[in-house]
Amino acid sequence: MADDPIKRPSEVIRAALKQHGLTLRALGEQLGERPEKLSVAVKCTNGVGPKAIELRKKVAEVLGLDPYEVWDPVFMTPKIRQKGGYSKLKRRMEMSEDEFEALSPKDKVRSILADFDTNVRELAELLDIPYSTLTSAIYGNFNDDARKRVAEYLRVPPEDIWPDLYARYDLKLKVPFKELLSKNPDLKTLHGFGDFTKPFDADPTRSED
């Protein structure tokens, strides 16, 4: 093993990819995994949870390598979660829908990230968003772009994480305006602004101005 147990695996994997004529993106497609997730697994920046170790084994297998020779044993041994603290939050896969809905936005994000043995700080690095900016967005402060990037990365609709900030809108539930009018004729006047179902010249109560 080289003196640097973190730097060496990246160099070994990079050389093996080149030898096989592959890129990390191509390898990700082959494994059905996101290339950025493979990257953090190779670099050992996403911990030593079962998912991280599984990814390292998959990468090594495709490249014809022994993962236990590529990575230091510390990065191939699952870390036992201690009681208390972060471990109190269950992984998303372990929760019912009701349990997940009852969580705060912060804990919803953390629970989904826990499925992948990573955390908000590592997510900030992956998305190239300052940690303070990302945590502020997750807590609900105004940063629409950051929140949507988080949701996109986690592959969930924004409204699943921030229901108070985003309305759930299902196009399948869209009802034509004329159908609404047939059920509620009072909608035609819309607080005295005239009948919006008629052209301007047919409704003397409306003005083109």
Side-chain angles (χ1 to χ4, degrees), residues 13 63 68 72 76 84 98 107 124 128 141 147 164 168 196:
I13 298 301
L63 299 177
Y68 294 93
D72 189 278
M76 296 302 297
D98 289 341
D107 285 343
D128 195 23
N141 292 338
R147 284 195 295 267
D164 295 337
R168 185 180 298 279
F196 282 78

Side-chain angles (χ1 to χ4, degrees), residues 6-31:
I6 295 180
K7 183 178 179 181
R8 179 182 178 277
S10 297
E11 296 175 344
V12 171
I13 298 301
R14 190 180 303 114
L17 285 170
K18 184 176 181 180
Q19 182 180 358
H20 285 75
L22 290 171
T23 63
L24 201 59
R25 181 172 298 279
L27 181 60
E29 292 176 355
Q30 184 174 335
L31 294 175

Side-chain angles (χ1 to χ4, degrees), residues 9 13 23 29 34 38-39 67 74 99 104 108 126 132 138-139 146 156 166 170 179 192 198 203 208:
I13 298 301
T23 63
E29 292 176 355
R34 294 181 180 180
L38 296 184
S39 178
V74 70
E99 286 178 312
S104 66
K108 286 180 178 179
L126 287 169
S132 59
I138 290 174
Y139 294 157
V156 296
Y166 298 95
D170 189 345
E179 184 178 333
K198 299 178 181 179
D203 185 359
E208 295 186 14

